[in-house]
Amino acid sequence: MFDLAIFGSLFLTLFVIMDPPGITPIFLALTSGRPAKVQKRMAFQAVCVAGGVITVFGLLGHQILNYLHVSVPALMIAGGLLLLLIALDLLTGKTDEPKQTKDVNVALVPLGMPLLAGPGAIVSVILAVQKADSVVTQVSVWTAILAIHVVLWIVMRYSLLIIRVIKDGGVVLVTRLAGMMLSAIAVQQIINGVTQVVQGS
């Protein structure tokens, strides 16, 4: 009771969108300066948040967007603007977030959402679940979703080993590079959303 083609297709799609290798420098930048135990916990929290968001939208995506009168392009633009704000903080080196809420906030936003569970991943899952018209295809879809989240957790958890090699100076460099990458991702996401709005009008 398993469709390897459907599993592989959705897994590869989510791998490209959620980009486990690409999330590594961003994760390191956002969690730098924290104890290793806290960073590992944040990796787990971020994956749990992303998995929860993806699951909710996979089950109730159309109903949620219709109820809120929110279009997919609007979701993409909002996510892009949020990422752009985070990217600017990374580029300018701002670290004025309150310490007592820093861990939770970074795990929730932007790591859990919209970096991992972004509009692209949400839309892909909504469409995949909608097209899954049998038990076999449903099992394949949800197995692919689970598998990509396991991969994300492994990549982020063991990316902490990189810190031991690059030291503090390397973390600063990675932070700036992550800010540049994140700003590019944010702008592209906004462009994609605006393009869809224009094409739909």
Side-chain angles (χ1 to χ4, degrees):
M1 294 183 64
F2 192 79
D3 192 320
L4 187 59
I6 291 177
F7 169 86
S9 176
L10 181 58
F11 180 84
L12 288 175
T13 300
L14 291 177
F15 189 91
V16 170
I17 293 173
M18 302 177 88
D19 192 14
I23 200 67
T24 300
I26 298 172
F27 173 75
L28 290 174
L30 292 173
T31 62
S32 63
R34 296 173 172 84
K37 286 185 177 180
V38 174
Q39 290 176 310
K40 291 177 181 178
R41 185 173 71 245
M42 290 174 66
F44 182 72
Q45 287 175 338
V47 171
C48 287
V49 169
V53 171
I54 290 292
T55 299
V56 169
F57 275 93
L59 296 173
L60 305 170
H62 280 293
Q63 294 90 328
I64 292 173
L65 294 181
N66 290 337
Y67 178 77
L68 296 174
H69 303 289
V70 173
S71 65
V72 172
L75 189 65
M76 296 178 71
I77 294 171
L81 290 173
L82 179 59
L83 287 181
L84 190 57
L85 290 175
I86 301 297
L88 291 176
D89 282 346
L90 291 177
L91 284 169
T92 56
K94 291 183 179 179
T95 56
D96 54 356
E97 190 177 0
K99 190 173 181 180
Q100 61 270 25
T101 60
K102 196 173 183 181
D103 295 348
V104 176
N105 285 345
V106 172
L108 295 175
V109 178
L111 281 176
M113 184 178 180
L115 275 178
L116 298 181
I122 289 173
V123 171
S124 297
V125 168
I126 290 175
L127 295 177
V129 172
Q130 186 179 23
K131 293 177 182 177
D133 54 2
S134 68
V135 174
V136 174
T137 52
Q138 284 283 352
V139 169
S140 303
V141 165
W142 288 105
T143 303
I145 293 170
L146 177 62
I148 191 61
H149 282 83
V150 170
V151 170
L152 285 165
W153 174 74
I154 291 173
V155 168
M156 286 193 293
R157 188 184 189 283
Y158 290 101
S159 66
L160 301 179
L161 298 175
I162 299 174
I163 296 179
R164 299 178 186 176
V165 178
I166 64 176
K167 307 297 182 182
D168 291 341
V171 170
V172 173
L173 177 60
V174 167
T175 300
R176 299 299 182 265
L177 291 174
M180 291 180 60
M181 291 169 54
L182 198 55
S183 61
I185 293 171
V187 171
Q188 186 60 55
Q189 193 163 291
I190 294 171
I191 291 173
N192 292 343
V194 172
T195 300
Q196 289 191 26
V197 170
V198 172
Q199 290 176 345
S201 61

